[in-house]
């Protein structure tokens, strides 16, 4: 009897050392690791700049028929940001370029210089955004007076016309000449092929 009592006491003592768990409770779940709990970053879709989107540019330096010739490059910059859905896609200061396509220097007898330039593209990262625009400049009337010896030997006066100029700080307007899709997530920014299922904005 004494041995049976000792066995019962040992069994009771053993059960008291086991942590109690509420009835109906489930085992504690293992917490997720930070790597598995981290949210997945959203993938940014390419941005479409539509054809005929207006662009405002500014000439950085003066171009004159005194020195310019067809093929002379004109350095410009974006003067107003290009926005898509309120978001700046092309910021102020982004470089742009044009090219002189015709240039006639001023001459004697009051002839004024004439110049025509074509606005070509904006450079955003590695992407070129083609532009459609043209600017013409003409000299303003007679310029300086000079002295010439006519072939008869008579000394006479002549007037030299003014050169045509695109002045530094002059504001120029252009339009995007075709749809342009940009991948803004790449570094530098790149132009990508348009999607066939509609153009994201």
């Amino acid at each position: 009897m004494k041995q049976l009592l000792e066995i019962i006491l040992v069994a009771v003592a053993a059960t008291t050392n086991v942590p109690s768990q509420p009835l109906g409770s489930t085992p504690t779940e293992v917490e997720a690791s930070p790597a598995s709990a981290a949210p997945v970053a959203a993938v940014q879709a390419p941005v479409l700049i539509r054809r005929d989107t207006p662009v405002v540019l500014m000439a950085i330096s003066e171009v004159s028929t005194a020195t310019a010739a067809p093929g002379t490059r004109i350095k410009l910059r974006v003067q107003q940001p290009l926005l898509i859905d309120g978001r700046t896609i092309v910021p102020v200061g982004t470089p742009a370029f044009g090219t002189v396509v015709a240039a006639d220097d001023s001459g004697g007898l009051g002839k004024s210089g004439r110049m025509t330039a074509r606005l070509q593209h904006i450079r955003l990262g590695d992407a070129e955004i083609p532009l459609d625009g043209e600017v013409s400049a003409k000299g303003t009337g007679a310029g300086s007076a000079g002295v010439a010896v006519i072939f008869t030997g008579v000394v006479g006066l002549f007037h030299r016309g003014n050169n045509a100029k695109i002045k530094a700080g002059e504001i120029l307007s252009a339009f995007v000449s075709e749809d342009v899709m940009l991948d803004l997530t790449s570094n530098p920014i790149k132009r990508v092929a348009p999607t066939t299922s509609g153009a994201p904005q």
Side-chain angles (χ1 to χ4, degrees):
M1 185 69 178
K2 181 178 179 181
Q3 291 179 347
L4 179 61
L5 183 60
E6 290 177 353
I7 293 173
I8 294 173
L9 291 174
V10 170
V12 170
T15 56
T16 57
N17 292 329
V18 178
S20 62
Q21 190 169 7
L23 184 63
S25 64
T26 58
T28 303
E29 296 181 356
V30 177
E31 294 183 0
S33 63
S36 61
V40 178
V43 178
Q44 187 176 18
V47 174
L48 176 68
I49 302 177
R50 296 279 188 183
R51 177 182 177 181
D52 293 331
T53 298
V55 178
V56 179
L57 306 172
M58 185 186 76
I60 294 178
S61 56
E62 182 175 283
V63 181
S64 169
T65 52
T67 56
T72 298
R73 198 177 202 191
I74 302 174
K75 293 182 179 181
L76 312 162
R77 54 164 272 178
V78 174
Q79 182 65 11
Q80 294 182 6
L82 197 157
L83 307 177
I84 302 293
D85 294 334
R87 177 185 173 196
T88 298
I89 304 301
V90 181
V92 173
T94 302
F97 301 93
T99 301
V100 175
V101 294
D104 294 325
D105 189 10
S106 60
L109 303 178
K111 177 186 175 183
S112 297
R114 295 173 182 269
M115 179 169 55
T116 302
R118 185 170 293 123
L119 307 178
Q120 290 189 308
H121 64 267
I122 296 170
R123 170 69 70 173
L124 183 64
D126 277 351
E128 287 189 359
I129 303 172
L131 300 176
D132 184 14
E134 193 172 87
V135 57
S136 297
K138 181 181 178 182
T140 55
S144 59
V147 178
V149 178
I150 311 301
F151 66 91
T152 57
V154 179
V155 176
L157 292 176
F158 72 94
H159 290 274
R160 181 175 178 84
N162 287 326
N163 290 301
K165 299 176 183 178
I166 298 175
K167 297 180 180 180
E170 187 170 341
I171 302 301
L172 310 172
S173 297
F175 296 89
V176 176
S177 62
E178 60 186 54
D179 288 351
V180 175
M181 189 84 75
L182 298 176
D183 180 3
L184 302 181
T185 63
S186 64
N187 186 17
I189 295 171
K190 295 181 180 179
R191 183 173 176 177
V192 295
T195 59
T196 57
S197 58
Q201 292 269 344

